[in-house]
Amino acid sequence: MLNEELFVFLQLKRVDNMNKVIIVTGASSGFGKAIAERLAEHGHRVYGICRREMSHNKINYRQGDIRDTERIGQIAKEIFEKEGRIDVLINNAGMGLGGALELTSWEEIKLQMETNFYGCVNVCQKVLPYMRQKRSGKIINFSSIAGIEGIPYQGFYSCSKFAIEGFSETLAAEVKRFGITVSLVEPGDFATGFTAVRVNSEATLKDPDYGPVFARVRERFEKEEIGGLKPEYMAKKVEQIVDAKRPRLRYCVANLEQKLSVILKRIIPGNWNVAILRSYYGS
Ligand SMILES: NC(=O)c1ccc[n+]([C@@H]2O[C@H](COP(=O)([O-])OP(=O)(O)OC[C@H]3O[C@@H](n4cnc5c(N)ncnc54)[C@H](OP(=O)(O)O)[C@@H]3O)[C@@H](O)[C@H]2O)c1
């Protein structure tokens, strides 16, 4: 009898885990695509948001720019009205910007912050009312190791991810009372579409002082990204967060060397860390 009850309990738990309504932003490439495909394959109802036109037999794609408050509001409303709930939001969409802080133009800075930070805030603000109404939900925001360490010549990218770190930590403290959890994913280097679409500061490329250093540093970080881990590895990790009963605030998903660099940064004096970063990247 006890075995039978345990069997029913496990089956119910399995159904509960398999039927989540999940939004994944940036689901047309890299992490987002791999995550959306894995979760949809495993029985979840997945909605992918991206600017490109996409179609997939198991993923419900919605075309939209995460910076567009009206469009994202429409998509969230439509999903909630159709499904009756939004269980998980995976804020993954983002892009990179390379260049010297001194020379990066306002237009380039705005593109970076509007996409990575304001975009993430926009999607959270549009989805949170539905989660709050249900008194449950899980938000997973994509940061980066660059959100823990200021990476030379990816300064405004780091700023956008530091902003996501602060936003998510605070949000976690504000929405816990409504049954909503917030987690940060901090990836190291991964081979995705990210490297090819990175925007590089025009003025830095042309500058006689910064230009040659940027070329050297860029070669280093691009090589590491291209030779990095595969997005399918990330998808497996994110699925574990989706399934977790009590998700942690932070998940650093990286190779051992990068994980150690994060631990080191938290214990050594700041100047030592800057010296390590300078010597590592050759800046
Ligand atoms: N790859 C890495 O090494 C690495 C490391 C640390 C953190 N990350 C972070 O991981 C996340 C995913 O990056 P990825 O590596 O998978 O890069 P990716 O292959 O270039 O994918 C980026 C995704 O974001 C979407 N996107 C970009 N701007 C958007 C916008 N304004 N509105 C809607 N969607 C937008 C793109 O879709 P559309 O172009 O179709 O809109 C694409 O699906 C980013 O937040 C990135 O910062 C990546």
Side-chain angles (χ1 to χ4, degrees):
M1 184 59 189
L2 200 65
N3 276 351
E4 230 170 80
E5 278 168 8
L6 185 65
F7 179 75
V8 171
F9 171 75
L10 290 174
Q11 284 300 98
L12 284 174
K13 194 167 157 29
R14 194 162 160 261
V15 168
D16 179 48
N17 268 341
M18 284 178 73
N19 266 328
K20 293 194 170 97
V21 176
I22 303 177
I23 297 179
V24 183
T25 68
S28 59
S29 171
F31 294 149
K33 188 161 182 283
I35 292 165
E37 283 173 357
R38 184 175 180 105
L39 295 174
E41 280 301 325
H42 290 179
H44 296 288
R45 298 186 59 75
V46 178
Y47 288 82
I49 301 177
C50 50
R51 290 164 302 176
R52 261 167 271 184
E53 204 179 322
M54 297 284 291
S55 76
H56 187 286
N57 59 350
K58 288 194 174 139
I59 302 169
N60 305 287
Y61 275 103
R62 295 291 180 273
Q63 228 174 332
D65 189 316
I66 54 165
R67 296 168 293 177
D68 183 338
T69 51
E70 199 179 319
R71 176 68 186 134
I72 296 302
Q74 268 174 6
I75 296 173
K77 184 168 184 278
E78 184 219 326
I79 297 171
F80 185 74
E81 282 174 358
K82 188 163 167 230
E83 302 285 353
R85 62 192 208 275
I86 298 173
D87 300 308
V88 183
L89 165 62
I90 303 176
N91 260 312
N92 154 80
M95 46 83 59
L97 169 65
L101 291 172
E102 182 188 334
L103 298 180
T104 305
S105 71
W106 277 110
E107 206 181 312
E108 291 160 342
I109 298 167
K110 267 161 88 186
L111 172 69
Q112 180 69 102
M113 297 306 285
E114 280 173 6
T115 307
N116 289 11
F117 180 48
Y118 299 155
C120 168
V121 173
N122 179 31
V123 187
C124 284
Q125 288 191 339
K126 296 299 178 295
V127 170
L128 270 165
Y130 302 116
M131 289 186 167
R132 198 153 45 84
Q133 197 174 316
K134 290 281 168 185
R135 291 296 194 256
S136 97
K138 190 178 275 184
I139 296 179
I140 301 171
N141 289 337
F142 266 70
S143 173
S144 168
I145 284 195
I148 306 166
E149 317 210 38
I151 309 291
Y153 291 86
Q154 291 193 67
F156 287 107
Y157 177 69
S158 269
C159 291
S160 72
K161 296 299 186 179
F162 269 71
I164 288 183
E165 291 270 336
F167 172 76
S168 305
E169 210 172 285
T170 310
L171 188 63
E174 289 181 0
V175 298
K176 183 82 171 88
R177 67 168 60 246
F178 307 124
I180 302 165
T181 63
V182 181
S183 297
L184 281 155
V185 174
E186 297 157 333
D189 289 318
F190 275 80
T192 65
F194 187 77
T195 311
V197 298
R198 177 183 280 114
V199 172
N200 290 301
S201 145
E202 290 293 329
T204 308
L205 292 169
K206 290 183 206 144
D207 189 78
D209 276 338
Y210 285 115
V213 188
F214 180 38
R216 191 170 63 233
V217 176
R218 192 175 142 201
E219 195 182 309
R220 170 106 212 199
F221 61 63
E222 285 189 349
K223 194 169 146 211
E224 306 223 314
E225 287 161 8
I226 292 162
L229 297 163
K230 301 273 169 291
E232 289 70 27
Y233 177 75
M234 174 62 78
K236 215 164 123 187
K237 294 284 172 191
V238 170
E239 186 180 39
Q240 287 168 4
I241 308 173
V242 167
D243 288 344
K245 222 166 170 217
R246 284 182 203 84
R248 301 202 310 257
L249 175 63
R250 286 192 168 84
Y251 293 86
C252 179
V253 186
N255 64 31
L256 186 63
E257 194 188 17
Q258 289 184 316
K259 280 187 178 175
L260 287 175
S261 79
V262 168
I263 297 170
L264 199 66
K265 148 127 202 202
R266 291 187 170 129
I267 53 178
I268 63 173
N271 282 345
W272 294 12
N273 200 57
V274 171
I276 291 171
L277 285 171
R278 281 199 59 217
S279 122
Y280 186 79
Y281 286 103
S283 68

